[in-house]
Amino acid sequence: MSGDTAALATYDFRKASRLPEAMQCFATAWQEEFCKLAQKKWARHLPYAARWHAAALETARPSEPRLFTEPTVGYRVRWGDLQTPMLFFFSRRLMLALASGMLGYASEELPEDRPVSPMEQTLADTLMQELVWALNEAHPGADPPSCEMIGPERRRQMKRLFPADHDVV
């Protein structure tokens, strides 16, 4: 074994993320600013405060079946020239509650799960457009790539959306 240990990269196994530290910091800063802006944008549409907070960043392989334990409403978002889109998924029950809130009906409980109506989908699309705006505004870079909503995502299996050997954050 060589005595030159400077070439070895240290890895903190207490951190679950597979992201390089600089990318982790960048993504965390973006997420924190995004949450502030999203909360402000959604306040215009809802009769109650929707609280957004940054969560710990996690990475997973598309083949890991740990996501989507309940029905969801999903969206694809293009980020600059990247071929692989960003994905946003919301619990369908949460999206039904948000659509009801946009119509002025506030409830303490999430509604029972059911398919989203075309009108509710349109309301959800409006909220998603606000999130795309917040993504663009929150980007910490000097010349950020633009984000745009591509449309709804109906497939819930990550292995059908991403190459199996890529990490998903």
Side-chain angles (χ1 to χ4, degrees), residues 27-44 49-55 130-131 133-135 137-139:
T28 299
W30 191 12
Q31 184 185 33
E32 288 172 353
E33 185 63 22
F34 165 78
C35 288
K36 291 176 194 172
L37 294 172
Q39 191 165 312
K40 287 179 184 176
K41 289 298 266 187
W42 277 20
R44 299 180 341 174
R51 289 184 177 74
W52 281 83
H53 66 276
E130 297 287 28
L131 295 183
W133 176 88
L135 277 172
E137 290 298 312
H139 194 284

PDB file of all heavy atoms in Angstrom, residues 27-44 49-55 130-131 133-135 137-139:
ATOM      1  N   ALA A  27     -27.467  22.528  -3.989  1.00  0.00           N
ATOM      2  CA  ALA A  27     -28.856  22.053  -4.009  1.00  0.00           C
ATOM      3  C   ALA A  27     -29.605  22.469  -2.750  1.00  0.00           C
ATOM      4  O   ALA A  27     -30.786  22.829  -2.809  1.00  0.00           O
ATOM      5  CB  ALA A  27     -28.882  20.533  -4.173  1.00  0.00           C
ATOM      6  N   THR A  28     -28.931  22.461  -1.616  1.00  0.00           N
ATOM      7  CA  THR A  28     -29.574  22.869  -0.365  1.00  0.00           C
ATOM      8  C   THR A  28     -29.941  24.348  -0.402  1.00  0.00           C
ATOM      9  O   THR A  28     -31.051  24.727  -0.020  1.00  0.00           O
ATOM     10  CB  THR A  28     -28.660  22.557   0.831  1.00  0.00           C
ATOM     11  OG1 THR A  28     -28.434  21.138   0.870  1.00  0.00           O
ATOM     12  CG2 THR A  28     -29.284  22.998   2.138  1.00  0.00           C
ATOM     13  N   ALA A  29     -29.023  25.185  -0.873  1.00  0.00           N
ATOM     14  CA  ALA A  29     -29.307  26.624  -0.967  1.00  0.00           C
ATOM     15  C   ALA A  29     -30.470  26.887  -1.920  1.00  0.00           C
ATOM     16  O   ALA A  29     -31.359  27.704  -1.641  1.00  0.00           O
ATOM     17  CB  ALA A  29     -28.059  27.376  -1.432  1.00  0.00           C
ATOM     18  N   TRP A  30     -30.481  26.188  -3.046  1.00  0.00           N
ATOM     19  CA  TRP A  30     -31.556  26.349  -4.022  1.00  0.00           C
ATOM     20  C   TRP A  30     -32.882  25.913  -3.408  1.00  0.00           C
ATOM     21  O   TRP A  30     -33.890  26.605  -3.526  1.00  0.00           O
ATOM     22  CB  TRP A  30     -31.230  25.531  -5.259  1.00  0.00           C
ATOM     23  CG  TRP A  30     -32.094  25.783  -6.460  1.00  0.00           C
ATOM     24  CD1 TRP A  30     -32.980  26.804  -6.650  1.00  0.00           C
ATOM     25  CD2 TRP A  30     -32.148  25.004  -7.651  1.00  0.00           C
ATOM     26  NE1 TRP A  30     -33.571  26.701  -7.892  1.00  0.00           N
ATOM     27  CE2 TRP A  30     -33.072  25.607  -8.521  1.00  0.00           C
ATOM     28  CE3 TRP A  30     -31.493  23.852  -8.060  1.00  0.00           C
ATOM     29  CZ2 TRP A  30     -33.371  25.086  -9.777  1.00  0.00           C
ATOM     30  CZ3 TRP A  30     -31.791  23.350  -9.316  1.00  0.00           C
ATOM     31  CH2 TRP A  30     -32.708  23.961 -10.158  1.00  0.00           C
ATOM     32  N   GLN A  31     -32.872  24.797  -2.735  1.00  0.00           N
ATOM     33  CA  GLN A  31     -34.100  24.280  -2.132  1.00  0.00           C
ATOM     34  C   GLN A  31     -34.635  25.230  -1.056  1.00  0.00           C
ATOM     35  O   GLN A  31     -35.841  25.483  -0.998  1.00  0.00           O
ATOM     36  CB  GLN A  31     -33.830  22.900  -1.535  1.00  0.00           C
ATOM     37  CG  GLN A  31     -35.061  22.241  -0.969  1.00  0.00           C
ATOM     38  CD  GLN A  31     -34.755  20.931  -0.281  1.00  0.00           C
ATOM     39  OE1 GLN A  31     -33.698  20.765   0.317  1.00  0.00           O
ATOM     40  NE2 GLN A  31     -35.671  20.010  -0.349  1.00  0.00           N
ATOM     41  N   GLU A  32     -33.767  25.783  -0.232  1.00  0.00           N
ATOM     42  CA  GLU A  32     -34.217  26.687   0.826  1.00  0.00           C
ATOM     43  C   GLU A  32     -34.861  27.946   0.254  1.00  0.00           C
ATOM     44  O   GLU A  32     -35.914  28.385   0.710  1.00  0.00           O
ATOM     45  CB  GLU A  32     -33.058  27.030   1.760  1.00  0.00           C
ATOM     46  CG  GLU A  32     -32.667  25.859   2.636  1.00  0.00           C
ATOM     47  CD  GLU A  32     -31.394  26.089   3.433  1.00  0.00           C
ATOM     48  OE1 GLU A  32     -30.716  27.131   3.216  1.00  0.00           O
ATOM     49  OE2 GLU A  32     -31.073  25.221   4.262  1.00  0.00           O
ATOM     50  N   GLU A  33     -34.233  28.547  -0.752  1.00  0.00           N
ATOM     51  CA  GLU A  33     -34.805  29.747  -1.375  1.00  0.00           C
ATOM     52  C   GLU A  33     -36.089  29.410  -2.119  1.00  0.00           C
ATOM     53  O   GLU A  33     -37.069  30.163  -2.085  1.00  0.00           O
ATOM     54  CB  GLU A  33     -33.783  30.400  -2.307  1.00  0.00           C
ATOM     55  CG  GLU A  33     -34.249  31.713  -2.902  1.00  0.00           C
ATOM     56  CD  GLU A  33     -34.505  32.802  -1.868  1.00  0.00           C
ATOM     57  OE1 GLU A  33     -33.970  32.734  -0.743  1.00  0.00           O
ATOM     58  OE2 GLU A  33     -35.258  33.740  -2.196  1.00  0.00           O
ATOM     59  N   PHE A  34     -36.100  28.276  -2.800  1.00  0.00           N
ATOM     60  CA  PHE A  34     -37.304  27.817  -3.499  1.00  0.00           C
ATOM     61  C   PHE A  34     -38.477  27.714  -2.527  1.00  0.00           C
ATOM     62  O   PHE A  34     -39.591  28.151  -2.830  1.00  0.00           O
ATOM     63  CB  PHE A  34     -37.036  26.466  -4.165  1.00  0.00           C
ATOM     64  CG  PHE A  34     -38.273  25.741  -4.593  1.00  0.00           C
ATOM     65  CD1 PHE A  34     -38.945  26.110  -5.740  1.00  0.00           C
ATOM     66  CD2 PHE A  34     -38.780  24.699  -3.838  1.00  0.00           C
ATOM     67  CE1 PHE A  34     -40.108  25.457  -6.134  1.00  0.00           C
ATOM     68  CE2 PHE A  34     -39.927  24.038  -4.219  1.00  0.00           C
ATOM     69  CZ  PHE A  34     -40.592  24.416  -5.372  1.00  0.00           C
ATOM     70  N   CYS A  35     -38.255  27.129  -1.359  1.00  0.00           N
ATOM     71  CA  CYS A  35     -39.339  26.959  -0.382  1.00  0.00           C
ATOM     72  C   CYS A  35     -39.929  28.298   0.053  1.00  0.00           C
ATOM     73  O   CYS A  35     -41.148  28.438   0.173  1.00  0.00           O
ATOM     74  CB  CYS A  35     -38.845  26.174   0.828  1.00  0.00           C
ATOM     75  SG  CYS A  35     -38.560  24.425   0.490  1.00  0.00           S
ATOM     76  N   LYS A  36     -39.065  29.296   0.272  1.00  0.00           N
ATOM     77  CA  LYS A  36     -39.547  30.627   0.650  1.00  0.00           C
ATOM     78  C   LYS A  36     -40.429  31.224  -0.446  1.00  0.00           C
ATOM     79  O   LYS A  36     -41.508  31.754  -0.183  1.00  0.00           O
ATOM     80  CB  LYS A  36     -38.368  31.566   0.920  1.00  0.00           C
ATOM     81  CG  LYS A  36     -37.574  31.230   2.149  1.00  0.00           C
ATOM     82  CD  LYS A  36     -36.375  32.162   2.244  1.00  0.00           C
ATOM     83  CE  LYS A  36     -35.365  31.663   3.239  1.00  0.00           C
ATOM     84  NZ  LYS A  36     -34.126  32.448   3.191  1.00  0.00           N
ATOM     85  N   LEU A  37     -39.957  31.135  -1.687  1.00  0.00           N
ATOM     86  CA  LEU A  37     -40.710  31.718  -2.807  1.00  0.00           C
ATOM     87  C   LEU A  37     -41.994  30.947  -3.095  1.00  0.00           C
ATOM     88  O   LEU A  37     -43.030  31.553  -3.391  1.00  0.00           O
ATOM     89  CB  LEU A  37     -39.831  31.777  -4.048  1.00  0.00           C
ATOM     90  CG  LEU A  37     -38.631  32.716  -3.970  1.00  0.00           C
ATOM     91  CD1 LEU A  37     -37.730  32.541  -5.186  1.00  0.00           C
ATOM     92  CD2 LEU A  37     -39.084  34.155  -3.829  1.00  0.00           C
ATOM     93  N   ALA A  38     -41.942  29.635  -3.028  1.00  0.00           N
ATOM     94  CA  ALA A  38     -43.135  28.820  -3.283  1.00  0.00           C
ATOM     95  C   ALA A  38     -44.228  29.134  -2.269  1.00  0.00           C
ATOM     96  O   ALA A  38     -45.406  29.252  -2.624  1.00  0.00           O
ATOM     97  CB  ALA A  38     -42.776  27.331  -3.238  1.00  0.00           C
ATOM     98  N   GLN A  39     -43.842  29.289  -1.027  1.00  0.00           N
ATOM     99  CA  GLN A  39     -44.818  29.603   0.014  1.00  0.00           C
ATOM    100  C   GLN A  39     -45.507  30.933  -0.268  1.00  0.00           C
ATOM    101  O   GLN A  39     -46.725  31.055  -0.139  1.00  0.00           O
ATOM    102  CB  GLN A  39     -44.101  29.635   1.367  1.00  0.00           C
ATOM    103  CG  GLN A  39     -45.020  29.687   2.551  1.00  0.00           C
ATOM    104  CD  GLN A  39     -44.288  29.350   3.833  1.00  0.00           C
ATOM    105  OE1 GLN A  39     -43.572  28.362   3.892  1.00  0.00           O
ATOM    106  NE2 GLN A  39     -44.470  30.167   4.849  1.00  0.00           N
ATOM    107  N   LYS A  40     -44.734  31.923  -0.697  1.00  0.00           N
ATOM    108  CA  LYS A  40     -45.310  33.237  -1.027  1.00  0.00           C
ATOM    109  C   LYS A  40     -46.242  33.149  -2.241  1.00  0.00           C
ATOM    110  O   LYS A  40     -47.311  33.745  -2.258  1.00  0.00           O
ATOM    111  CB  LYS A  40     -44.203  34.255  -1.304  1.00  0.00           C
ATOM    112  CG  LYS A  40     -43.461  34.696  -0.080  1.00  0.00           C
ATOM    113  CD  LYS A  40     -42.364  35.676  -0.434  1.00  0.00           C
ATOM    114  CE  LYS A  40     -41.549  36.036   0.782  1.00  0.00           C
ATOM    115  NZ  LYS A  40     -40.417  36.909   0.457  1.00  0.00           N
ATOM    116  N   LYS A  41     -45.815  32.423  -3.268  1.00  0.00           N
ATOM    117  CA  LYS A  41     -46.640  32.322  -4.485  1.00  0.00           C
ATOM    118  C   LYS A  41     -47.952  31.600  -4.208  1.00  0.00           C
ATOM    119  O   LYS A  41     -49.001  31.996  -4.704  1.00  0.00           O
ATOM    120  CB  LYS A  41     -45.876  31.607  -5.598  1.00  0.00           C
ATOM    121  CG  LYS A  41     -44.740  32.411  -6.191  1.00  0.00           C
ATOM    122  CD  LYS A  41     -45.222  33.679  -6.844  1.00  0.00           C
ATOM    123  CE  LYS A  41     -45.452  33.505  -8.301  1.00  0.00           C
ATOM    124  NZ  LYS A  41     -45.765  34.729  -9.020  1.00  0.00           N
ATOM    125  N   TRP A  42     -47.888  30.504  -3.445  1.00  0.00           N
ATOM    126  CA  TRP A  42     -49.109  29.743  -3.171  1.00  0.00           C
ATOM    127  C   TRP A  42     -50.057  30.508  -2.245  1.00  0.00           C
ATOM    128  O   TRP A  42     -51.260  30.270  -2.267  1.00  0.00           O
ATOM    129  CB  TRP A  42     -48.758  28.391  -2.591  1.00  0.00           C
ATOM    130  CG  TRP A  42     -48.403  27.380  -3.651  1.00  0.00           C
ATOM    131  CD1 TRP A  42     -48.012  27.619  -4.935  1.00  0.00           C
ATOM    132  CD2 TRP A  42     -48.413  25.969  -3.499  1.00  0.00           C
ATOM    133  NE1 TRP A  42     -47.768  26.441  -5.588  1.00  0.00           N
ATOM    134  CE2 TRP A  42     -48.009  25.410  -4.723  1.00  0.00           C
ATOM    135  CE3 TRP A  42     -48.697  25.114  -2.433  1.00  0.00           C
ATOM    136  CZ2 TRP A  42     -47.911  24.042  -4.929  1.00  0.00           C
ATOM    137  CZ3 TRP A  42     -48.593  23.755  -2.632  1.00  0.00           C
ATOM    138  CH2 TRP A  42     -48.211  23.214  -3.869  1.00  0.00           C
ATOM    139  N   ALA A  43     -49.537  31.430  -1.443  1.00  0.00           N
ATOM    140  CA  ALA A  43     -50.388  32.205  -0.531  1.00  0.00           C
ATOM    141  C   ALA A  43     -51.438  33.011  -1.303  1.00  0.00           C
ATOM    142  O   ALA A  43     -52.524  33.275  -0.787  1.00  0.00           O
ATOM    143  CB  ALA A  43     -49.536  33.132   0.330  1.00  0.00           C
ATOM    144  N   ARG A  44     -51.143  33.357  -2.536  1.00  0.00           N
ATOM    145  CA  ARG A  44     -52.104  34.112  -3.362  1.00  0.00           C
ATOM    146  C   ARG A  44     -53.298  33.269  -3.775  1.00  0.00           C
ATOM    147  O   ARG A  44     -54.329  33.808  -4.161  1.00  0.00           O
ATOM    148  CB  ARG A  44     -51.419  34.635  -4.623  1.00  0.00           C
ATOM    149  CG  ARG A  44     -50.278  35.563  -4.358  1.00  0.00           C
ATOM    150  CD  ARG A  44     -49.617  36.062  -5.609  1.00  0.00           C
ATOM    151  NE  ARG A  44     -49.908  35.236  -6.780  1.00  0.00           N
ATOM    152  CZ  ARG A  44     -49.538  35.519  -8.006  1.00  0.00           C
ATOM    153  NH1 ARG A  44     -48.859  36.602  -8.240  1.00  0.00           N
ATOM    154  NH2 ARG A  44     -49.833  34.730  -9.005  1.00  0.00           N
ATOM    155  N   ALA A  49     -52.297  29.053   4.983  1.00  0.00           N
ATOM    156  CA  ALA A  49     -50.859  29.113   4.710  1.00  0.00           C
ATOM    157  C   ALA A  49     -50.344  27.714   4.368  1.00  0.00           C
ATOM    158  O   ALA A  49     -50.479  26.794   5.160  1.00  0.00           O
ATOM    159  CB  ALA A  49     -50.120  29.652   5.925  1.00  0.00           C
ATOM    160  N   ALA A  50     -49.805  27.584   3.192  1.00  0.00           N
ATOM    161  CA  ALA A  50     -49.132  26.338   2.810  1.00  0.00           C
ATOM    162  C   ALA A  50     -47.682  26.500   3.235  1.00  0.00           C
ATOM    163  O   ALA A  50     -46.986  27.381   2.758  1.00  0.00           O
ATOM    164  CB  ALA A  50     -49.243  26.109   1.310  1.00  0.00           C
ATOM    165  N   ARG A  51     -47.255  25.682   4.135  1.00  0.00           N
ATOM    166  CA  ARG A  51     -45.891  25.796   4.653  1.00  0.00           C
ATOM    167  C   ARG A  51     -44.952  24.899   3.871  1.00  0.00           C
ATOM    168  O   ARG A  51     -45.167  23.707   3.762  1.00  0.00           O
ATOM    169  CB  ARG A  51     -45.870  25.430   6.123  1.00  0.00           C
ATOM    170  CG  ARG A  51     -46.528  26.464   6.990  1.00  0.00           C
ATOM    171  CD  ARG A  51     -46.386  26.097   8.451  1.00  0.00           C
ATOM    172  NE  ARG A  51     -46.931  27.073   9.345  1.00  0.00           N
ATOM    173  CZ  ARG A  51     -48.224  27.282   9.561  1.00  0.00           C
ATOM    174  NH1 ARG A  51     -49.108  26.593   8.889  1.00  0.00           N
ATOM    175  NH2 ARG A  51     -48.632  28.179  10.422  1.00  0.00           N
ATOM    176  N   TRP A  52     -43.925  25.511   3.345  1.00  0.00           N
ATOM    177  CA  TRP A  52     -42.877  24.782   2.623  1.00  0.00           C
ATOM    178  C   TRP A  52     -41.631  24.808   3.480  1.00  0.00           C
ATOM    179  O   TRP A  52     -41.304  25.835   4.084  1.00  0.00           O
ATOM    180  CB  TRP A  52     -42.565  25.480   1.290  1.00  0.00           C
ATOM    181  CG  TRP A  52     -43.556  25.194   0.229  1.00  0.00           C
ATOM    182  CD1 TRP A  52     -44.749  25.814   0.030  1.00  0.00           C
ATOM    183  CD2 TRP A  52     -43.444  24.199  -0.780  1.00  0.00           C
ATOM    184  NE1 TRP A  52     -45.380  25.267  -1.052  1.00  0.00           N
ATOM    185  CE2 TRP A  52     -44.595  24.275  -1.567  1.00  0.00           C
ATOM    186  CE3 TRP A  52     -42.467  23.263  -1.098  1.00  0.00           C
ATOM    187  CZ2 TRP A  52     -44.807  23.448  -2.657  1.00  0.00           C
ATOM    188  CZ3 TRP A  52     -42.673  22.430  -2.185  1.00  0.00           C
ATOM    189  CH2 TRP A  52     -43.842  22.533  -2.948  1.00  0.00           C
ATOM    190  N   HIS A  53     -40.924  23.706   3.564  1.00  0.00           N
ATOM    191  CA  HIS A  53     -39.642  23.686   4.254  1.00  0.00           C
ATOM    192  C   HIS A  53     -38.695  22.749   3.520  1.00  0.00           C
ATOM    193  O   HIS A  53     -39.108  21.772   2.913  1.00  0.00           O
ATOM    194  CB  HIS A  53     -39.792  23.287   5.722  1.00  0.00           C
ATOM    195  CG  HIS A  53     -40.251  21.883   5.913  1.00  0.00           C
ATOM    196  ND1 HIS A  53     -41.572  21.524   5.875  1.00  0.00           N
ATOM    197  CD2 HIS A  53     -39.559  20.729   6.105  1.00  0.00           C
ATOM    198  CE1 HIS A  53     -41.677  20.225   6.047  1.00  0.00           C
ATOM    199  NE2 HIS A  53     -40.477  19.710   6.194  1.00  0.00           N
ATOM    200  N   ALA A  54     -37.430  23.110   3.600  1.00  0.00           N
ATOM    201  CA  ALA A  54     -36.413  22.299   2.942  1.00  0.00           C
ATOM    202  C   ALA A  54     -36.246  20.985   3.699  1.00  0.00           C
ATOM    203  O   ALA A  54     -36.239  20.960   4.918  1.00  0.00           O
ATOM    204  CB  ALA A  54     -35.089  23.062   2.902  1.00  0.00           C
ATOM    205  N   ALA A  55     -36.144  19.916   2.952  1.00  0.00           N
ATOM    206  CA  ALA A  55     -35.935  18.592   3.539  1.00  0.00           C
ATOM    207  C   ALA A  55     -34.514  18.139   3.244  1.00  0.00           C
ATOM    208  O   ALA A  55     -33.844  18.685   2.360  1.00  0.00           O
ATOM    209  CB  ALA A  55     -36.938  17.601   2.948  1.00  0.00           C
ATOM    210  N   GLU A 130     -46.632  27.921 -10.614  1.00  0.00           N
ATOM    211  CA  GLU A 130     -46.063  28.799  -9.592  1.00  0.00           C
ATOM    212  C   GLU A 130     -44.767  28.214  -9.044  1.00  0.00           C
ATOM    213  O   GLU A 130     -43.812  28.946  -8.767  1.00  0.00           O
ATOM    214  CB  GLU A 130     -47.064  29.029  -8.454  1.00  0.00           C
ATOM    215  CG  GLU A 130     -48.335  29.732  -8.862  1.00  0.00           C
ATOM    216  CD  GLU A 130     -48.161  31.211  -9.153  1.00  0.00           C
ATOM    217  OE1 GLU A 130     -47.065  31.655  -9.556  1.00  0.00           O
ATOM    218  OE2 GLU A 130     -49.142  31.945  -8.967  1.00  0.00           O
ATOM    219  N   LEU A 131     -44.712  26.896  -8.913  1.00  0.00           N
ATOM    220  CA  LEU A 131     -43.489  26.246  -8.431  1.00  0.00           C
ATOM    221  C   LEU A 131     -42.366  26.371  -9.456  1.00  0.00           C
ATOM    222  O   LEU A 131     -41.202  26.563  -9.088  1.00  0.00           O
ATOM    223  CB  LEU A 131     -43.748  24.780  -8.105  1.00  0.00           C
ATOM    224  CG  LEU A 131     -44.715  24.510  -6.953  1.00  0.00           C
ATOM    225  CD1 LEU A 131     -44.813  23.014  -6.704  1.00  0.00           C
ATOM    226  CD2 LEU A 131     -44.309  25.254  -5.696  1.00  0.00           C
ATOM    227  N   TRP A 133     -41.989  28.826 -11.542  1.00  0.00           N
ATOM    228  CA  TRP A 133     -41.526  30.210 -11.400  1.00  0.00           C
ATOM    229  C   TRP A 133     -40.554  30.307 -10.219  1.00  0.00           C
ATOM    230  O   TRP A 133     -39.481  30.915 -10.323  1.00  0.00           O
ATOM    231  CB  TRP A 133     -42.710  31.158 -11.181  1.00  0.00           C
ATOM    232  CG  TRP A 133     -42.267  32.564 -10.938  1.00  0.00           C
ATOM    233  CD1 TRP A 133     -42.032  33.530 -11.869  1.00  0.00           C
ATOM    234  CD2 TRP A 133     -41.959  33.158  -9.674  1.00  0.00           C
ATOM    235  NE1 TRP A 133     -41.605  34.689 -11.267  1.00  0.00           N
ATOM    236  CE2 TRP A 133     -41.551  34.486  -9.914  1.00  0.00           C
ATOM    237  CE3 TRP A 133     -41.996  32.704  -8.363  1.00  0.00           C
ATOM    238  CZ2 TRP A 133     -41.185  35.348  -8.891  1.00  0.00           C
ATOM    239  CZ3 TRP A 133     -41.614  33.567  -7.342  1.00  0.00           C
ATOM    240  CH2 TRP A 133     -41.218  34.876  -7.614  1.00  0.00           C
ATOM    241  N   ALA A 134     -40.927  29.696  -9.076  1.00  0.00           N
ATOM    242  CA  ALA A 134     -40.071  29.743  -7.888  1.00  0.00           C
ATOM    243  C   ALA A 134     -38.727  29.051  -8.141  1.00  0.00           C
ATOM    244  O   ALA A 134     -37.690  29.519  -7.673  1.00  0.00           O
ATOM    245  CB  ALA A 134     -40.790  29.114  -6.697  1.00  0.00           C
ATOM    246  N   LEU A 135     -38.736  27.954  -8.900  1.00  0.00           N
ATOM    247  CA  LEU A 135     -37.477  27.282  -9.248  1.00  0.00           C
ATOM    248  C   LEU A 135     -36.553  28.211 -10.025  1.00  0.00           C
ATOM    249  O   LEU A 135     -35.353  28.283  -9.758  1.00  0.00           O
ATOM    250  CB  LEU A 135     -37.754  26.043 -10.111  1.00  0.00           C
ATOM    251  CG  LEU A 135     -38.137  24.770  -9.417  1.00  0.00           C
ATOM    252  CD1 LEU A 135     -38.547  23.725 -10.448  1.00  0.00           C
ATOM    253  CD2 LEU A 135     -37.022  24.251  -8.546  1.00  0.00           C
ATOM    254  N   GLU A 137     -36.593  31.563 -10.117  1.00  0.00           N
ATOM    255  CA  GLU A 137     -36.179  32.707  -9.306  1.00  0.00           C
ATOM    256  C   GLU A 137     -35.198  32.328  -8.202  1.00  0.00           C
ATOM    257  O   GLU A 137     -34.351  33.124  -7.842  1.00  0.00           O
ATOM    258  CB  GLU A 137     -37.403  33.385  -8.685  1.00  0.00           C
ATOM    259  CG  GLU A 137     -38.267  34.103  -9.675  1.00  0.00           C
ATOM    260  CD  GLU A 137     -37.530  35.251 -10.366  1.00  0.00           C
ATOM    261  OE1 GLU A 137     -36.889  36.063  -9.671  1.00  0.00           O
ATOM    262  OE2 GLU A 137     -37.585  35.320 -11.600  1.00  0.00           O
ATOM    263  N   ALA A 138     -35.319  31.127  -7.675  1.00  0.00           N
ATOM    264  CA  ALA A 138     -34.506  30.711  -6.526  1.00  0.00           C
ATOM    265  C   ALA A 138     -33.113  30.237  -6.904  1.00  0.00           C
ATOM    266  O   ALA A 138     -32.237  30.153  -6.049  1.00  0.00           O
ATOM    267  CB  ALA A 138     -35.226  29.602  -5.769  1.00  0.00           C
ATOM    268  N   HIS A 139     -32.889  29.935  -8.167  1.00  0.00           N
ATOM    269  CA  HIS A 139     -31.605  29.359  -8.580  1.00  0.00           C
ATOM    270  C   HIS A 139     -30.468  30.282  -8.156  1.00  0.00           C
ATOM    271  O   HIS A 139     -30.471  31.469  -8.475  1.00  0.00           O
ATOM    272  CB  HIS A 139     -31.576  29.151 -10.088  1.00  0.00           C
ATOM    273  CG  HIS A 139     -30.458  28.287 -10.541  1.00  0.00           C
ATOM    274  ND1 HIS A 139     -29.169  28.741 -10.620  1.00  0.00           N
ATOM    275  CD2 HIS A 139     -30.437  26.990 -10.916  1.00  0.00           C
ATOM    276  CE1 HIS A 139     -28.395  27.754 -11.045  1.00  0.00           C
ATOM    277  NE2 HIS A 139     -29.138  26.686 -11.223  1.00  0.00           N
TER     278      HIS A 139
END
